[in-house]
Amino acid sequence: MSTLPRSILVHLDSSPHGAARLRLSAELAQAFDAHCHALPCILSAYERYPYAMDFTGAALSSLQTLDREALDRARTTFDTVAADSDRISWLSPRGSTPWAFAQCALFHDLVVLGQRDPSDPQVDEVSAGFASAVMIASGKPTLMVPWAGRFDILGRRVLVAWRPTRECARAVSAAIPWMRLARGVDLVSYSDAALQGLAPLKELLQQHGIDAVVHDGGREHGDAAERLLSLAADLGSGLLVMGCWGHSRVHEWATGGMTRSVLASMTVPVLMVH
């Protein structure tokens, strides 16, 4: 996928971080001549507190009130941001699970999700594995936005963390619109096998009019994710591009070590594809 994303799906919850995700999505929609669809996906109070109450009478009413308040906060976030953009639409909730969100994501070009903030009072309104589950179930290019900071990724340097995998190759293709707008593109690998692939990758990008600088990240050790994020900071990268490795089971979602570490410690937006 090297064409511009025309339809962007952004996840909304009741956290204040949702506003930053939505604003960034609106900026992308403007730059790419696309439209942004905001979809709330929030765990119900019943799902969050399954053993806290007996769910009868006043207790059930209290849980329903919590659900309404959460959705109202998400709607307020949407209304505030949408007042400044004509490229944003509200989608009615389709469910509270990653699967429900991923099913909607199938009909969009780009998905925008947020990094989990453990200090957020509303953190439990979204399941811990929501982001990785959506990426794995939908297979769509996904922009992960850190919970801290405000980001302007258009025109900034793009850093590609290369591995010779299907997931990474798809991420590179999805990132081409960003690379064309970037003031610089950097390629890095953390294994000998991956390093050998940087020359043909550089050649491929040149065919798209993109000139990239190659970096040797050294061997892949346990601190590869930390070194990658450090390099992004040193280069002034506004966007990190990488594959999302993972697998799914009926009751379990899991991502590989590098992916999991980056999702936990990311300091710049990350474009991932599973």
Side-chain angles (χ1 to χ4, degrees):
M1 181 186 118
S2 59
T3 58
L4 293 175
R6 298 300 187 186
S7 182
I8 301 171
L9 181 68
V10 57
H11 172 238
L12 271 190
D13 51 25
S14 71
S15 166
H17 302 313
R21 287 198 300 276
L22 192 53
R23 288 193 187 95
L24 180 56
S25 301
E27 293 169 3
L28 293 176
Q30 183 68 37
F32 295 144
D33 192 22
H35 195 82
C36 175
H37 305 263
L39 177 62
C41 189
I42 304 171
L43 286 175
S44 68
Y46 175 84
E47 291 170 301
R48 285 179 280 143
Y49 311 114
Y51 306 112
M53 301 179 183
D54 58 8
F55 307 114
T56 59
L60 182 58
S61 177
S62 296
L63 293 176
Q64 292 171 339
T65 297
L66 290 175
D67 290 340
R68 285 194 300 271
E69 290 175 346
L71 187 59
D72 287 346
R73 286 194 296 269
R75 182 70 202 212
T76 297
T77 294
F78 170 83
D79 290 339
T80 300
V81 179
D84 298 323
S85 176
D86 61 356
R87 292 182 177 269
I88 308 176
S89 298
W90 171 270
L91 294 179
S92 298
R94 312 293 174 86
S96 63
T97 66
W99 177 256
F101 191 92
Q103 286 298 294
C104 186
L106 296 175
F107 304 100
H108 299 270
D109 298 317
L110 175 69
V111 178
V112 181
L113 305 177
Q115 179 193 29
R116 188 174 180 83
D117 175 10
S119 65
D120 185 351
Q122 280 82 47
V123 67
D124 291 334
E125 292 180 358
V126 180
S127 59
F130 182 84
S132 56
V134 169
M135 283 189 276
I136 293 170
S138 71
K140 287 291 184 173
T142 300
L143 182 67
M144 291 296 306
V145 182
W147 62 263
R150 178 175 172 82
F151 303 96
D152 178 12
I153 63 177
L154 294 168
R156 299 285 302 278
R157 295 191 73 89
V158 174
L159 174 60
V160 177
W162 174 254
R163 282 186 176 185
T165 65
R166 179 201 68 169
E167 293 84 358
C168 195
R170 294 183 64 213
V172 169
S173 293
I176 285 177
W178 275 276
M179 295 185 200
R180 285 176 171 156
L181 295 175
R183 68 168 183 257
V185 176
D186 300 282
L187 312 177
V188 66
S189 66
Y190 290 93
S191 70
D192 292 339
L195 181 62
Q196 294 173 4
L198 290 186
L201 177 59
K202 178 181 172 70
E203 182 178 345
L204 170 65
L205 294 178
Q206 286 176 334
Q207 295 173 14
H208 288 275
I210 300 165
D211 190 22
V213 178
V214 172
H215 302 264
D216 181 359
R219 294 187 177 276
E220 183 171 355
H221 300 295
D223 64 344
E226 181 180 338
R227 284 185 286 146
L228 175 61
L229 294 174
S230 178
L231 178 62
D234 291 343
L235 294 172
S237 306
L239 179 67
L240 174 61
V241 178
M242 60 185 294
C244 169
W245 180 86
H247 67 274
S248 63
R249 295 174 181 161
V250 176
H251 299 296
E252 176 187 358
W253 299 93
T255 52
M258 183 75 161
T259 303
R260 186 167 54 249
S261 296
V262 169
L263 288 176
S265 305
M266 57 192 291
T267 52
V268 296
V270 182
L271 183 65
M272 291 182 163
V273 184
H274 176 65

